[in-house]
Amino acid sequence: MKVAVVGLGIAGLSICARLSLAGHEVMGFDQFEPMHTEGSSHGDTRIMRLTPGEGETYVRLARRSADMWRAWEGLAGRALIDWTGGLMAGPHGSPFVDACVRLSKRPAAAIRGDAIHPLTRGYIALPYDWDAFRQEDCGVIAADATRQFLLRQVPRFGAKLFHGRKVEAPITSTTLTIDGATRSFDAVIVAAGGWATKLLPEFAGRLVTKRRVVGWFRTEAPRALPVLCIDNDAGVFGMPTPRGLYKLGLHSIGETTDPDNVREADDEDAAALSKYVAQILPKHDPNPVRLSRCLYTVTPDENFLITPSAANDRVLLFSACSGHGFKYAPVFGELAEEWLKGEPSRELEAFGLAKRGGMNRLGAAKS
Ligand SMILES: Cc1cc2nc3c(=O)[nH]c(=O)nc-3n(C[C@H](O)[C@H](O)[C@H](O)COP(=O)(O)OP(=O)(O)OC[C@H]3O[C@@H](n4cnc5c(N)ncnc54)[C@H](O)[C@@H]3O)c2cc1C
């Protein structure tokens, strides 16, 4: 089949990789340059969790991605994931921590908040009466390195990638207009991140683009620290990064934004992050070394939305974000191939509109 992929973030690149390997004639288009920092996929790192507390569907998806992450590492000739371990924590009775314990089937790894301080030699501090769960199958993805690897590898699989080429909105059929010229395809996959509703306005009520800011924080004596996912109002998440800085973000804090007009990171963002660094990372300087802004594309229930357009069933919306999509990237190509074949797996079905009711409403998913 002749397939167009609109958007070459981590989702679009993964889809181009798989479909070209499967023998389809694939063309990928992105409005920006290869390693741009305007969307959702840029930055040095992302959190990987093989047993995400978001539910069985995501555990199955993560497990499906594990082998392919290894295959990508083989092709890349380097590790793309640093398995640091992680701490999932929250107030006593946190449904997220409970889900992590239940889904991991490792109740013994559940600990109390006051055990964290000695466990991390005072680098991480949590309220003594909180619940926490030590998760070994957690780590840090080298996000930009993964994008660079795919940008090199995907053309070798036979796909044609076009950067600096904006697909005209809206998309109403499998004929696209790019720079005023039209091109026809057998199928179109819209993996346009925060711009999805500009291209497919029918989903405006189901997807919202949100601004998020992350910061990198220094400490005098860096040491190996785990990934952190905290079930509190802000949805604090953190991960160790290369050069010994610790990166912190707030999953649930940030305004709705137009992806074409996003406010730059500023002192207000720094202050919001510093407050949590002072509480949770007592040995880190609460003043960020640097900040970066990024986009979430969020559904009301924070589950992924992968479903055909009502206007044309050969046009697929592929929105796997809500701030927790990167870790599943290698599977995205498989899900797209299932759609092309008309053979959806349980996972793909779960992300469609038809089965929406069956999915848990994710109480504040984590990164
Ligand atoms: C701050 C932050 C922290 C995160 N942390 C984690 C984490 O720890 N773990 C995790 O698993 N996930 C995490 N995520 C989520 C993850 O990064 C995203 O789910 C993922 O990057 C989404 O990728 P995407 O390809 O769908 O979107 P994008 O990377 O935004 O790609 C969409 C692309 O479409 C292009 N495009 C849009 N419109 C057009 C058009 N008209 N024509 C051509 N091209 C177009 C854009 O230029 C863009 O390149 C985080 C996200 C953020 C923002």
Side-chain angles (χ1 to χ4, degrees):
M1 268 190 231
K2 193 174 169 192
V3 183
V5 177
V6 181
L8 295 173
I10 197 64
L13 286 170
S14 168
I15 293 166
C16 289
R18 177 75 187 198
L19 296 187
S20 50
L21 265 179
H24 296 286
E25 185 190 341
V26 179
M27 289 187 182
F29 301 93
D30 202 287
Q31 60 187 339
F32 297 130
E33 294 316 306
M35 289 299 287
H36 74 86
T37 59
E38 301 301 321
S40 303
S41 298
H42 60 276
D44 54 6
T45 51
R46 292 288 190 275
I47 293 172
M48 174 60 171
R49 292 177 283 128
L50 266 184
T51 312
E54 282 80 3
E56 269 105 15
T57 301
Y58 293 96
V59 172
R60 288 198 305 270
L61 210 61
R63 302 284 158 87
R64 281 176 63 176
S65 78
D67 290 347
M68 272 179 268
W69 274 112
R70 278 191 286 278
W72 282 5
E73 290 182 320
L75 286 169
R78 58 157 290 169
L80 294 171
I81 301 177
D82 177 7
W83 295 98
T84 58
L87 285 172
M88 312 293 121
H92 184 57
S94 149
F96 171 69
V97 177
D98 287 351
C100 291
V101 174
R102 178 172 46 76
L103 292 163
S104 295
K105 303 187 178 65
R106 296 182 48 252
I111 51 179
R112 272 190 13 156
D114 55 2
I116 302 292
H117 199 259
L119 188 73
T120 61
R121 307 261 170 104
Y123 278 78
I124 297 176
L126 295 173
Y128 75 94
D129 57 353
W130 273 25
D131 293 344
F133 179 65
R134 292 166 63 181
Q135 206 159 350
E136 302 314 322
D137 57 357
C138 245
V140 178
I141 303 167
D144 277 346
T146 301
R147 279 206 291 165
Q148 280 155 342
F149 153 67
L150 288 170
L151 287 161
R152 278 195 311 276
Q153 193 65 38
V154 170
R156 292 180 193 152
F157 291 155
K160 292 194 175 57
L161 304 184
F162 300 90
H163 285 92
R165 312 289 291 276
K166 185 167 184 167
V167 175
E168 239 172 69
I171 293 176
T172 56
S173 75
T174 54
T175 298
L176 301 178
T177 305
I178 304 147
D179 302 337
T182 60
R183 285 176 189 255
S184 292
F185 298 89
D186 301 310
V188 171
I189 299 173
V190 180
W195 289 265
T197 53
K198 294 201 175 192
L199 289 160
L200 297 171
E202 64 191 280
F203 294 107
R206 295 182 180 279
L207 293 173
V208 179
T209 305
K210 301 257 182 184
R211 175 181 175 274
R212 293 290 185 266
V213 172
V214 289
W216 286 256
F217 297 88
R218 188 194 307 284
T219 180
E220 283 314 308
R223 60 169 285 129
L225 290 177
V227 158
L228 257 184
C229 292
I230 292 181
D231 188 13
N232 64 357
D233 296 351
V236 176
F237 62 90
M239 67 209 84
T241 69
R243 291 185 292 285
L245 299 174
Y246 201 85
K247 178 174 162 184
L248 206 86
L250 308 177
H251 181 84
S252 313
I253 308 286
E255 72 268 23
T256 298
T257 184
D258 172 353
D260 292 314
N261 184 17
V262 185
R263 184 164 62 83
E264 283 307 326
D266 57 23
D267 294 349
E268 200 187 312
D269 301 304
L273 291 164
S274 299
K275 183 180 99 180
Y276 290 101
V277 171
Q279 287 169 14
I280 298 169
L281 301 172
K283 293 195 175 185
H284 283 70
D285 176 349
N287 303 306
V289 172
R290 68 187 173 91
L291 297 170
S292 169
R293 61 152 169 89
C294 190
L295 298 178
Y296 276 18
T297 314
V298 184
T299 57
D301 60 6
E302 297 209 2
N303 285 304
F304 299 161
L305 182 58
I306 305 173
T307 194
S309 161
N312 185 308
D313 65 4
R314 300 311 297 157
V315 174
L316 181 76
L317 167 74
F318 200 106
S319 181
C321 184
S322 291
H324 62 115
F326 206 108
K327 61 180 76 60
Y328 309 104
V331 172
F332 292 160
E334 266 193 20
L335 298 180
E337 193 183 6
E338 290 166 13
W339 171 67
L340 281 181
K341 286 183 181 165
E343 297 164 7
S345 59
R346 278 192 290 164
E347 290 75 49
L348 183 58
E349 285 185 331
F351 301 137
L353 281 179
K355 293 251 173 109
R356 206 103 196 122
M359 290 289 282
N360 307 336
R361 166 164 178 62
L362 295 184
K366 306 293 170 242
S367 281

